[in-house]
Amino acid sequence: MSEISSGTVLITGPTGGLGRSATMAMASRPEGERPDLTVKELLGSGVIRPLCALIANAGLSVVDTRNASADGYELTFAVNYLAHAQLIGDLLDSFATPARIVLVGSNTYYANWVRRLLTVPAAEWRDALELAKPAGPEVSPTLKASGVAYSNSKLAILYYAHELQRRVPEGINVAVFEPGFMPGTGLSRQHTPGVQRMGRGLQRLSLLGIASPVKSGPALASVALDERWAHLRCGAFVLIDSERDVMPIANDPGWERRLWDATAELLRSTKQARS
C-alpha cells in the first residue's frame, strides 16, 4: 500500500465521464488501499485522513466564448484552468507529503494530422489576461473559436503544471494526465444535439484503440495513487499509461512565469470583488 493511497484524495468533476470512472476506481479499491474523497473543512476538523492527492478533472467546452463565469472570465478558461489554480493554491498548505497533484490535460494544444482531419483547432496562445476575457458581443460563436478556447485552456494547464512544480514544497509531485480521445462524454454538454450525437456515435465505434472513460478512469486513479508513478516531477505529461514528452510550445519557462503572475492577478481581482 502506498502512503498516498492511505490518505485523502480530492477530485473535481466526479459525477460523470472520466471523473466518475476515476472516483469509482478509487472507491472500489480494497480496504486499506482506498483513499478518502472529500474537502478542506473536513481536513481541518481532523475527521478524515491528510490530503495526499488532488485530481483536477472538471472541465467543459463551451459553444459561445462570449459566455462568462460568475467572476466575469471566459467560461472555458475559468472552469478548465482558473478554478483549479485557485483550488490548488488554497489547498497547498493542507497537503501531507508525499503527495501528488494531477491535472487533466489534452494534446489538443497542438495540431497533428488526426486533429486536422477532425477539425480540432490547436491553441492560439496569448497573455492570460487576454485569454480570460470573454469575446465581445460583436463576435459570432463558431466551433473553431470554441475549440481554440478549449485548447488554450489545456495549454494553460501544461504551463501551470511546470511552474507549479517549481514552487511547491519538496514531496509534492505534479503531473498532467491525457486520457486520450473520449467522445460522447459530458465535455460537449453545451454543444448542439447533433455534435453530441456524433460524439456518442464515435464512442460506440471504439476505432483505433479510442480511449473511453472505462479505460481511462482507472488509469487516472493509478497516476494519482500508485507508487509506480512516484518518479513524476516537473509537471510530467502522462498519456493514458505512459510518460510522454510535450511539444516545445508547451515547455516555455517565460510563458509559464507570466501565466503564474497573471493568474495571481486574476484571482486577486476575484477575491477583491467578492469582499
Side-chain angles (χ1 to χ4, degrees), residues 11-36:
I11 179 168
T12 68
T15 58
L18 176 64
R20 182 180 187 278
S21 182
T23 301
M24 295 304 294
M26 287 184 280
S28 63
R29 289 187 170 210
E31 187 175 357
E33 297 180 16
R34 184 171 60 244
D36 298 325

Side-chain angles (χ1 to χ4, degrees), residues 51-246:
L51 180 63
C52 292
L54 186 150
I55 302 174
N57 163 75
L60 85 170
S61 174
V62 303
V63 178
D64 191 344
T65 56
R66 296 174 298 185
N67 289 338
S69 68
D71 300 309
Y73 301 131
E74 193 278 317
L75 194 57
T76 314
F77 193 73
V79 172
N80 294 358
Y81 169 65
L82 274 178
H84 287 127
Q86 181 173 30
L87 177 65
I88 292 167
D90 289 345
L91 287 175
L92 270 183
D93 60 356
S94 298
F95 282 95
T97 57
R100 200 165 297 155
I101 297 172
V102 181
L103 303 106
V104 174
S106 173
N107 265 332
T108 61
Y109 70 89
Y110 76 97
N112 63 7
W113 72 267
V114 175
R115 286 187 282 280
R116 290 191 185 98
L117 182 64
L118 295 173
T119 66
V120 177
E124 296 179 3
W125 189 258
R126 56 192 191 278
D127 192 86
L129 297 183
E130 291 298 315
L131 293 176
K133 294 179 181 178
E138 75 285 355
V139 177
S140 299
T142 65
L143 284 177
K144 180 181 179 181
S146 168
V148 169
Y150 180 81
S151 296
N152 282 339
S153 73
K154 292 305 182 177
L155 182 52
I157 288 290
L158 284 163
Y159 284 160
Y160 173 75
H162 298 157
E163 190 66 21
L164 178 65
Q165 185 68 86
R166 297 182 188 108
R167 296 170 181 264
V168 294
E170 186 69 26
I172 300 179
N173 288 4
V174 181
V176 177
F177 175 76
E178 153 69 287
F181 186 42
M182 296 179 62
T185 69
L187 184 67
S188 61
R189 58 190 175 274
Q190 292 201 359
H191 286 264
T192 64
V195 171
Q196 295 184 51
R197 282 195 299 272
M198 182 173 65
R200 289 192 293 270
L202 288 170
Q203 184 181 36
R204 284 192 294 270
L205 290 175
S206 298
L207 294 174
L208 302 176
I210 288 174
S212 71
V214 174
K215 296 176 185 175
S216 297
L220 175 56
S222 173
V223 171
L225 298 176
D226 290 354
E227 281 302 306
R228 79 183 184 98
W229 296 106
H231 68 282
L232 294 177
R233 293 283 299 174
C234 303
F237 185 73
V238 178
L239 176 57
I240 303 178
D241 58 5
S242 59
E243 190 173 354
R244 300 288 181 90
D245 291 331
V246 296

